[in-house]
Amino acid sequence: GDTARLASGNSARNGPMAALDQMIRFSISEMAAAEAQHDRPLRMLVLVASRDIEDEEVFLNYRLNPATKSTWPEWYVPYAAEEAERRWS
């Protein structure tokens, strides 16, 4: 399907996947250009699903430092607070 075409590097021609493909390509090129001006490497994260995901949420444990809790975004909820405490202590 559309996901396979995106994964293989061929953009989908119609529909929402085409818009998503265009947005991702534009965003990555803009980030790369901005980082190149500052002579820094481009940092990014790519999540790859081992199966089709439809009508589901994907959760990512950002592992934010508990000592900086006052700066966390409102939406962030730690997944494993005890683990984070051990990791950052």
Side-chain angles (χ1 to χ4, degrees):
D2 287 333
T3 305
R5 281 195 297 272
L6 283 173
S8 69
N10 298 324
S11 62
R13 296 187 190 265
N14 297 313
M17 292 305 290
L20 177 61
D21 181 53
Q22 182 178 7
M23 180 185 73
I24 290 170
R25 290 174 190 271
F26 179 76
S27 297
I28 292 172
S29 66
E30 287 294 308
M31 287 187 297
E35 290 296 320
Q37 291 176 359
H38 301 288
D39 197 28
R40 290 183 287 188
L42 174 63
R43 294 182 183 182
M44 68 174 42
L45 173 70
V46 177
L47 300 177
V48 178
S50 61
R51 64 175 178 80
D52 288 346
I53 298 175
E54 187 173 326
D55 296 327
E56 299 176 62
E57 290 186 72
V58 177
F59 294 96
L60 174 67
N61 184 358
Y62 289 88
R63 297 181 178 179
L64 298 181
N65 186 344
T68 63
K69 190 172 186 173
S70 63
T71 63
W72 289 356
E74 287 183 27
W75 51 262
Y76 181 73
V77 177
Y79 173 73
E82 297 82 22
E83 178 186 326
E85 289 290 338
R86 282 193 309 272
R87 181 176 199 263
W88 289 99
S89 60

